[in-house]
Amino acid sequence: MNDIDELTMAAQLFKDPPEPSAQVIAAARARMTEPEPSARTARQGRRRAPRRFSLGLGLVAGIATAAVLVATIGGGGDPTPRLSAQEAQEQHLAARQLLLAAADTLDKEKPLKVGSYWRQRTVEGKAFHVDGDGNGYVVYAEVENDSWEAKYKALTLQWTNQDGVLITKSQKEHKFFSRPNPVVPQTPEDTAAWKKAGSPTRWKVTSDGDHLVLTMDNKNPPSAEGSTYVRRPNPDVAGIDDQPDVDQRLQLGKDPAVFVAAVRKDAGFIEGSAQELMTGSRYVGDKLASPQSRAALFRMLANLPGIRSIGSVKDAHGRPGIGLAPPWINRVDGTVVEYQLILDPRTYDILGDQMIVKKAGKDGVRPGALFSYGYTLSEGWTNESPPGS
């Protein structure tokens, strides 16, 4: 019996941008016929604020983000509809068994061998509904991220403060590349509706009350909250990154008790299990922490009320995993979504996370569709150097 079977048993602006070029349109149409998303080489992208990026999951967690989270998804989430008390309890017990099994597995592992850079490659995307005949259709805008965090190489920054004093500070190098992919429909149903509408390459859409213009080339991606486990820098005006560097994360993750205590202090743990699972994903997904520290966090998450096992789930890249979900979430436009954290059934690493629409809101994305998503392509130590080094 494989791991998937075991888990299934456990619980079943409106400024018009220029039209995209013919080359972009041809590339996008070719991409729509690809059987699976492919890994592409990322190029340098502009830096953005923490856990906000130019497309992606409506997820926010971590220090100083609780207010954004409440405004975006509305508190801790409503009780999951159409589940009896017995069904909810069964799914919660299955989730607890899964999290404890993950902890037992990690307890037996050894820390990873350190290299020169911690590299993480991810994809994040978001759905946008386009009005049209019938129910219209949905297009998806996504970005590919390539993060390189140095273990040894440091940069020296200098600036003058408001009192005219020259300040010098050293920080570890963190290179972050982001490349937008063409905006396209992803399902046969949406592709057919898009073709019926004349295969447009520019759309006016609404997202959480904001009016946006999308173009197929995705040159000016709209801002959205990003997956919590994606490591992106957050430089201030002086270029100082306030995100923990590799050494700080290695140190924090050495001691399980210290690691769990730090997670409990995170602002994402003040609003209920919906936010707690999202916040927890940032830490259990950080493989710079020791396996034993991540195991301790899995055990802590096992005690969260409302977390459910949803059995075998595919991530947005099409890979099968095992899914956890908190209570359903009401977004500001009235859309009701289910947040799903998807784990590898063998290693319990994060494959990805996603929000599935359960009830349509003003944004118009239909029930059953991906509302937003993120997934990991690869992650680990490397002795290679990032582009431009």
Side-chain angles (χ1 to χ4, degrees):
M1 183 182 300
N2 61 34
D3 296 305
I4 293 286
D5 293 333
E6 291 175 354
L7 190 56
T8 303
M9 290 176 61
Q12 298 296 87
L13 43 163
F14 278 101
K15 181 179 179 181
D16 291 351
E19 291 291 332
S21 66
Q23 291 90 339
V24 167
I25 294 172
R29 285 176 172 155
R31 180 171 174 264
M32 289 169 59
T33 64
E34 294 177 359
E36 292 185 1
S38 60
R40 304 169 181 88
T41 302
R43 66 171 181 264
Q44 182 78 45
R46 50 183 180 155
R47 286 176 168 178
R48 292 180 172 83
R51 289 174 285 285
R52 288 192 69 83
F53 72 115
S54 61
L55 297 166
L57 278 170
L59 314 178
V60 181
I63 300 301
T65 62
V68 177
L69 179 60
V70 174
T72 303
I73 65 174
D78 289 343
T80 303
R82 294 192 296 275
L83 280 182
S84 68
Q86 180 178 350
E87 289 173 327
Q89 180 65 9
E90 288 174 350
Q91 290 190 4
H92 175 62
L93 290 176
R96 177 176 170 79
Q97 292 173 5
L98 164 63
L99 290 164
L100 293 177
D104 290 342
T105 297
L106 287 172
D107 262 338
K108 302 170 185 176
E109 295 186 359
K110 296 180 179 180
L112 299 174
K113 184 179 180 180
V114 174
S116 298
Y117 285 88
W118 182 258
R119 186 182 183 188
Q120 182 193 61
R121 297 173 55 243
T122 56
V123 174
E124 297 172 288
K126 188 180 185 305
F128 295 90
H129 179 262
V130 179
D131 291 328
D133 292 342
N135 295 324
Y137 57 94
V138 174
V139 294
Y140 287 85
E142 67 178 30
V143 293
E144 296 185 19
N145 306 312
D146 193 1
S147 171
W148 298 71
E149 297 178 84
K151 174 67 175 75
Y152 306 108
K153 186 176 181 179
L155 306 175
T156 300
L157 302 176
Q158 289 186 327
W159 72 97
T160 302
N161 67 13
Q162 60 185 6
D163 297 321
V165 178
L166 180 65
I167 306 297
T168 301
K169 182 174 181 178
S170 177
Q171 70 177 25
K172 292 296 179 67
E173 180 186 58
H174 185 179
K175 288 197 171 185
F176 187 83
F177 305 88
S178 184
R179 190 183 93 166
N181 289 329
V183 177
V184 293
Q186 291 188 359
T187 68
E189 177 185 356
D190 288 324
T191 300
W194 170 71
K195 290 180 178 178
K196 184 177 180 180
S199 303
T201 58
R202 178 180 173 279
W203 306 270
K204 290 183 178 181
V205 298
T206 301
S207 178
D208 287 336
D210 295 327
H211 299 296
L212 309 171
V213 174
L214 301 178
T215 56
M216 184 174 280
D217 59 18
N218 202 15
K219 281 187 176 180
N220 297 295
S223 179
E225 296 82 19
S227 296
T228 60
Y229 53 84
V230 174
R231 296 289 171 177
R232 52 176 55 82
N234 182 42
D236 60 17
V237 292
I240 302 299
D241 188 1
D242 68 359
Q243 300 301 297
D245 63 26
V246 166
D247 284 341
Q248 291 169 325
R249 286 159 53 201
L250 285 168
Q251 182 63 35
L252 179 66
K254 281 184 177 181
D255 185 281
V258 172
F259 189 63
V260 170
V263 177
R264 288 190 182 279
K265 292 179 181 178
D266 193 295
F269 270 75
I270 66 174
E271 294 295 335
S273 61
Q275 287 85 337
E276 288 169 343
L277 184 60
M278 297 174 195
T279 303
S281 72
R282 177 171 178 81
Y283 294 92
V284 297
D286 189 359
K287 294 190 286 186
L288 291 184
S290 72
Q292 292 69 37
S293 291
R294 294 172 62 211
L297 183 53
F298 270 119
R299 291 190 177 94
M300 187 193 82
L301 295 177
N303 292 320
L304 292 180
I307 302 299
R308 299 173 293 115
S309 168
I310 53 175
S312 180
V313 178
K314 287 186 177 181
D315 68 7
H317 199 46
R319 299 171 299 189
I322 48 182
L324 296 170
W328 287 5
I329 298 165
N330 291 316
R331 294 184 59 88
V332 294
D333 75 307
T335 302
V336 179
V337 297
E338 179 178 74
Y339 170 71
Q340 299 176 348
L341 179 64
I342 306 169
L343 305 178
D344 186 295
R346 294 173 177 80
T347 65
Y348 299 101
D349 291 338
I350 292 177
L351 292 177
D353 55 3
Q354 57 200 25
M355 287 191 176
I356 306 296
V357 176
K358 296 298 182 179
K359 179 182 177 182
K362 293 180 181 179
D363 282 357
V365 182
R366 64 182 177 273
L370 273 174
F371 187 86
S372 54
Y373 57 88
Y375 56 86
T376 301
L377 292 173
S378 62
E379 185 174 23
W381 287 108
T382 179
N383 289 319
E384 297 180 357
S385 297
S389 294

